[in-house]
Amino acid sequence: MQKVILTFISVLLISYNFGCTKVANSSSGMFAPQKTPLKQQASTPDFADDTEKFQFKKEDNSDLFVLKKKASDANLFDANHKNIAIIKTEVDGKFKLKNSSDKTLGYVVFEKEHWKLENSDNKELYTFRKQGKKDYKLEDWTNREIYRIKKRDYGFDILKANKKLLYKVEVKEGKTSLRDTDDKTIFSTQSELSPIAFACFGLDALTREQQAALAYAVKLTEGK
């Protein structure tokens, strides 16, 4: 009888040890938290962490358009979040402008103190250049002045060729606004975009895509 009891106890001990071993193996095996290698984490950064957005809103605070930067490129989205343009940074201060179908629309080429807007055949359309230390102007391919951008205490004035005021670019309390001659806000942004880059969106002679490409190029090369 004593022999039977000892045998039963031995079986229980073996079963207990086997169960503990199985649980330990499970904890350190397929059920253990899987750590992603550091190299894999670095090569696949989170999109939100690698993206800078410049949001533009109407006076009623509804969306107008968004310029979203990721790495060295940018995308322009309309109010319905539809991608309408892609701006790709190339070598030697050149920016390629494409539509959502990957068709080249033109280029912005940065040279010393000026930016040239070209069509898809590299023909010059406009030149945006510094005028003195603080002012800027937009000229067409014949060097005819279209707009003059004058530095003011509140930001910039955008003037027509006849020197009449077209828009104001006002920086106040963390918001940059494009305002008309009645001092009414057309649109604004609270994103960190330099006033002169923002002013590019007030150049009505350009398409919205061209404005965005020029603003993006100015932001990256001007640094102010």
Side-chain angles (χ1 to χ4, degrees):
M1 182 70 177
Q2 183 177 6
K3 192 172 184 178
V4 171
I5 292 173
L6 289 175
T7 301
F8 178 74
I9 292 174
S10 298
V11 170
L12 287 177
L13 289 174
I14 291 171
S15 299
Y16 176 80
N17 289 334
F18 177 77
C20 291
T21 302
K22 187 175 182 180
V23 170
N25 288 339
S26 298
S27 298
S28 60
M30 63 180 293
F31 295 106
Q34 298 298 310
K35 294 183 178 180
T36 304
L38 291 178
K39 288 185 178 180
Q40 183 178 350
Q41 290 178 342
S43 62
T44 55
D46 182 78
F47 182 82
D49 293 339
D50 197 37
T51 301
E52 186 176 8
K53 292 195 297 186
F54 307 100
Q55 294 181 299
F56 298 80
K57 294 180 177 291
K58 299 177 185 177
E59 188 177 17
D60 62 3
N61 206 40
S62 61
D63 290 338
L64 181 60
F65 59 91
V66 176
L67 183 62
K68 185 180 291 187
K69 177 181 181 296
K70 180 171 169 50
S72 60
D73 300 334
N75 289 266
L76 180 67
F77 297 88
D78 65 14
N80 298 315
H81 308 291
K82 179 182 178 182
N83 189 4
I84 57 177
I86 304 165
I87 307 162
K88 299 190 70 67
T89 305
E90 299 192 325
V91 297
D92 301 327
K94 194 169 187 177
F95 301 84
K96 180 186 286 188
L97 176 62
K98 304 191 297 181
N99 63 16
S100 58
S101 299
D102 210 38
K103 179 182 177 181
T104 299
L105 302 176
Y107 301 88
V108 177
V109 182
F110 173 65
E111 297 178 359
K112 186 178 180 180
E113 297 191 335
H114 71 272
W115 296 261
K116 291 192 302 182
L117 286 93
E118 301 175 344
N119 65 13
S120 58
D121 295 323
N122 298 109
K123 180 181 178 180
E124 184 178 336
L125 301 175
Y126 302 98
T127 300
F128 185 67
R129 68 173 75 250
K130 288 184 178 180
Q131 189 71 16
K133 292 184 178 180
K134 298 180 179 180
D135 298 343
Y136 295 79
K137 64 179 179 178
L138 183 73
E139 301 173 331
D140 66 12
W141 64 95
T142 66
N143 297 323
R144 179 175 62 92
E145 183 175 315
I146 302 175
Y147 302 113
R148 178 71 61 98
I149 303 176
K150 301 283 292 183
K151 178 65 177 173
R152 303 297 188 211
D153 291 340
Y154 49 77
F156 288 100
D157 282 347
I158 301 177
L159 307 173
K160 299 177 184 179
N162 60 8
K163 312 304 180 188
K164 289 186 177 181
L165 181 66
L166 179 63
Y167 299 119
K168 292 180 180 179
V169 175
E170 182 181 88
V171 182
K172 186 177 181 180
E173 298 177 352
K175 179 185 288 188
T176 305
S177 305
L178 186 71
R179 308 176 75 84
D180 63 18
T181 54
D182 294 325
D183 212 29
K184 181 180 178 181
T185 297
I186 301 171
F187 60 83
S188 64
T189 184
Q190 291 183 305
S191 304
E192 294 185 5
L193 187 65
S194 66
I196 189 57
F198 179 92
C200 295
F201 289 102
L203 305 178
D204 290 343
L206 309 181
T207 65
R208 180 70 80 205
E209 292 86 350
Q210 289 173 325
Q211 291 172 353
L214 179 60
Y216 183 67
V218 168
K219 171 184 165 53
L220 292 190
T221 54
E222 180 71 4
K224 295 182 181 179

